[in-house]
């Protein structure tokens, strides 16, 4: 049986320090659950899209990066940083370390 | 007329057109541009409608009611503490989906009468966005007015809607739904977007502007074009103004003779005040009046955030915040304005880094000096075109950019050590600037600004120079004494005492530095007409200038202490004398060291 992915893992519910908790959700074992593969935004390739499942960054939440929203990765800068993504019709530039906090299901 | 003044506050997400709307309603000229974060403080103005007076408040944009940056905190503080008769929530009709979230969040907490203003309706129509305004108003239970502030469309209807909202004092029934759900429902039921055409143009253009292969060459090409246009365009008005002022100078001289003004006073007025004033206007004003509108066009089009995107890797490696690219770009216009705009950077240490390094970006006032020196020393040969001069200028600008990055790194490791904050920035849709309106308004604004500065600063500076040059002490003029004291320091860094004296006296305004230097070189002689390139070249070369001196002068012009306006602004923003001192001495030290090594290299190679 595949281990439950920590998609419901919330800040403060683990033994990791807060910062690591927010940014390291991807360090938990990412396993396939059926056909769903969960990845972080920084791992998404340019031109691909994802359905957001979890966002560990308050600023991104305010800008419309919320669970259930579609996100399109449009461009990436030099060495993949920053990335330009479209959410709710608007385009944002996000640095890689902030992109790590956005977890979703590849579409 | 009804004496009560009604207060309306304009709020909304950044870059929705609040300031443009404010300017359209009040006739004032708040700074606008197509990027988030231009407005960093509250602005106040007024208008009259139907015999009623309205006080309008333009608030900085905020993405939510949980503010992170200083300007967002200012906006939220105003909304929470100040009383107003109507709150106008300005939404960008193009980005209606995201804007509705903020509007619904505000609707559920605000007790004052609220009105929604849908701005940029013309842009929305072009992009295939259709909004049922009536249905939206019914769903949100507030009046909704559709406008295009840039074109002045719908403003009367907006004023009427504000008046009705104030009269009715509507604050009763408000939606009690979850604001996110309400926003989503409102978007789905009232708005339709043709996604085939919505952002097709923007994505095509971004494929080029943000591509790893083409972004840097295109940015450099844009920079070369801007400077080439400035160089070529400035020649003609500069020549006309010089000839006009020379002719008028003769008339003025005869008039002063005619009314019996003595030689001394006449010389003071003509060779001091008039010479400095006309030098600044004829030589410095044209490049400034051309560069500034071009820069404004870049701002209005939406290219600046793309510039920030492309240079973010450099700023990240320097330990700087990504938005520092925007404030650095603003420094090309005016360092003082750019320092104020550093409020868009949330983290204090990163903000201070941006503030201190901003004066390493040559502002509008320094460009004319750089352009003149490059013209005289690097392309006096007519075969060398304006394009070559533009390329040389761009190389110096790249040096300033490199210095900004290295200095940011140094500061982030020393004075402003700390953890770096996150960086998220909106890339707004491209907008075609209103060429005529933008260019003409910008030229007029910049011309008025330079004329006022010339009157306030250049004229008195010219008087001071004349007095110093014509007051004798111990067999030499005061200016000779001053320059001889500064000479050893000047020579050490490839300059001379006159140039250093000019920089010191040019503290109030950078555009008077070269006129002061030329006036000191010419002191004792009557400057009957303003020197053109050849005459200027002769003056400088006769006073010991070489190519190395020219390079050092350009470098020192880029890296020296900021002008007094910028220093005052830095104090106002930081409330720290230490920060002001750092902002003063750091660029000075950097410029001096660079000039020293350039001079040393020149001596070793045999050019100096």
């Amino acid at each position: 049986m595949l281990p439950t992915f920590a998609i419901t893992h919330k800040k403060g519910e683990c033994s990791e320090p807060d910062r690591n908790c927010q940014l390291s959700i991807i360090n938990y074992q990412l396993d396939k659950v059926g056909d769903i593969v969960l990845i972080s935004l920084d791992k998404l390739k340019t031109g691909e899209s994802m359905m957001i499942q979890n966002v560990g960054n308050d600023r991104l939440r305010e800008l419309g990066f919320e669970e259930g929203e579609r996100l399109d990765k449009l461009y990436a800068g030099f060495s993949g940083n920053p990335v330009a993504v479209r959410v709710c019709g608007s385009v944002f530039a996000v640095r890689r370390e902030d992109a790590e906090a956005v977890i979703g299901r590849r579409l | 007329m009804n004496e009560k003044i009604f207060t309306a506050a304009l709020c909304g997400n950044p870059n929705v057109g609040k300031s443009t709307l404010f300017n359209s309603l009040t006739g004032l000229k708040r700074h606008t541009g197509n990027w988030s974060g231009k407005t960093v403080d509250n602005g106040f103005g007024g208008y009259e409608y139907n015999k009623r007076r309205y006080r309008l408040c333009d608030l900085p944009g905020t993405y939510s009611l949980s503010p992170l940056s200083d300007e967002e905190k200012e906006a939220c503080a105003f909304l929470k503490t100040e009383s107003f008769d109507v709150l106008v929530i300005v939404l960008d009709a193009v980005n209606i989906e995201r804007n509705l979230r903020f509007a619904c969040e505000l609707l559920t907490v605000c007790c004052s009468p609220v009105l929604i203003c849908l701005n940029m309706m013309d842009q929305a129509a072009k992009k295939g966005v259709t909004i049922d305004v009536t249905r939206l108003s019914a769903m949100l239970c507030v009046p909704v007015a559709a406008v295009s502030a840039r074109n002045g469309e719908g403003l009367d209807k907006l004023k009427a809607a504000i008046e009705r909202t104030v009269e009715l004092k509507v604050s009763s029934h408000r939606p009690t739904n979850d604001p996110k759900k309400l926003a989503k429902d409102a978007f789905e039921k009232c708005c339709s977007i043709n996604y085939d055409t919505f952002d097709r143009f923007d994505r095509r253009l971004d494929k080029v502007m943000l591509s790893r292969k083409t972004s840097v060459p295109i940015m450099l090409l844009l920079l070369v074009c801007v400077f080439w246009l400035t160089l070529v365009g400035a020649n003609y008005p500069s020549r006309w103004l010089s000839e006009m002022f020379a002719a008028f100078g003769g008339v003025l001289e005869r008039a002063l003779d005619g009314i019996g003004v003595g030689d001394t006073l006449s010389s003071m007025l003509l060779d001091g005040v008039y010479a400095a004033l006309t030098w600044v206007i004829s030589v410095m004003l044209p490049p400034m009046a051309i560069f500034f509108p071009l820069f404004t066009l870049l701002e209005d089009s939406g290219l600046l955030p793309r510039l920030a995107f492309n240079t973010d890797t450099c700023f990240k490696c320097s330990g700087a915040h990504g938005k520092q690219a925007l404030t650095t770009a603003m420094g090309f216009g005016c360092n003082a304005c750019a320092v104020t705009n550093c409020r868009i950077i949330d983290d204090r240490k990163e903000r201070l880094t941006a503030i201190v390094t901003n004066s390493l970006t040559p502002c509008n006032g320094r460009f004319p000096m750089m352009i003149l020196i490059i013209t005289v020393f690097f392309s006096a040969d007519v075969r060398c075109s304006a394009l070559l001069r533009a390329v040389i200028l761009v190389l110096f600008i790249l040096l300033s950019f490199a210095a900004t990055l290295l200095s940011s790194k140094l500061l982030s490791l020393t004075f402003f050590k700390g953890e770096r904050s996150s960086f998220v920035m909106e890339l707004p849709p491209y907008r075609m600037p209103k060429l005529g309106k933008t260019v003409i308004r910008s030229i007029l604004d910049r011309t008025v600004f330079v004329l006022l500065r010339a009157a306030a600063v250049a004229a008195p500076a010219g008087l001071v120079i004349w007095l110093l040059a014509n007051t004798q002490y111990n067999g030499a003029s005061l200016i000779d004494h001053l320059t001889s004291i500064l000479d050893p320091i000047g020579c050490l860094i490839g300059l001379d005492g006159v140039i250093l004296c000019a920089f010191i006296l040019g503290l109030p305004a950078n555009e008077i530095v070269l006129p002061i230097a030329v006036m000191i070189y010419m002191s004792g002689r009557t400057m009957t007409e303003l020197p053109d390139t050849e005459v200027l070249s002769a003056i400088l070369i006769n006073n010991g200038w070489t190519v190395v001196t020219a390079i050092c002068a350009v470098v020192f012009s880029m890296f020296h202490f900021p002008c007094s306006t910028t220093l005052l602004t830095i104090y106002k923003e930081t409330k720290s004398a230490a920060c002001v001192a750092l902002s003063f001495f750091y660029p000075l030290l950097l410029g001096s060291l660079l000039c020293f090594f350039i001079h040393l290299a020149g001596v070793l190679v045999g050019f100096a």
Side-chain angles (χ1 to χ4, degrees), chain B residues 34 217 252 287 339 349 359 406 445 449 455 507 539 553:
Chain B
N34 187 10
L252 204 56
V339 163
K349 287 183 180 163
S359 55
L406 288 169
D445 285 350
F449 175 78
L507 178 66
I539 293 171

Side-chain angles (χ1 to χ4, degrees), chain A residues 19-71:
Chain A
R19 179 178 161 75
N20 287 344
C21 172
Q22 276 187 27
L23 299 180
S24 300
I25 210 164
I26 52 166
N27 291 334
Y28 284 88
Q29 193 173 3
L30 289 170
D31 288 312
K32 270 193 183 177
V33 179
D35 291 329
I36 300 168
V37 176
L38 295 165
I39 57 168
S40 59
L41 174 54
D42 62 309
K43 299 281 190 296
L44 195 67
K45 289 183 185 151
T46 304
E48 290 185 336
S49 304
M50 72 192 310
M51 186 67 68
I52 299 174
Q53 306 282 5
N54 192 21
V55 179
N57 182 307
D58 291 336
R59 181 47 124 178
L60 291 177
R61 283 179 171 277
E62 284 169 15
L63 294 175
F65 288 67
E66 290 179 346
E67 291 84 352
E69 288 294 340
R70 180 193 168 112
L71 180 151

Side-chain angles (χ1 to χ4, degrees), chain B residues 190-254:
Chain B
C190 308
C191 309
S192 73
I193 298 178
N194 181 354
Y195 284 103
D196 288 337
T197 57
F198 178 60
D199 61 355
R200 188 167 55 189
F201 174 76
D202 289 353
R203 298 290 72 79
R204 280 183 184 166
L205 198 49
D206 273 341
K207 264 191 186 155
V208 175
M209 295 304 298
L210 300 182
S211 156
R212 290 174 220 194
K213 289 179 193 162
T214 55
S215 58
V216 171
I218 287 177
M219 279 194 318
L220 289 173
L221 189 63
L222 267 174
L223 209 53
V224 168
C225 286
V226 165
F227 287 128
W228 178 79
L229 283 168
T230 304
L231 283 160
V232 167
N235 274 339
Y236 302 102
S238 203
R239 203 178 309 144
W240 298 329
L241 286 168
S242 297
E243 287 168 6
M244 185 186 79
F245 284 129
F248 188 69
V251 168
L252 204 56
E253 193 178 3
R254 287 191 291 277

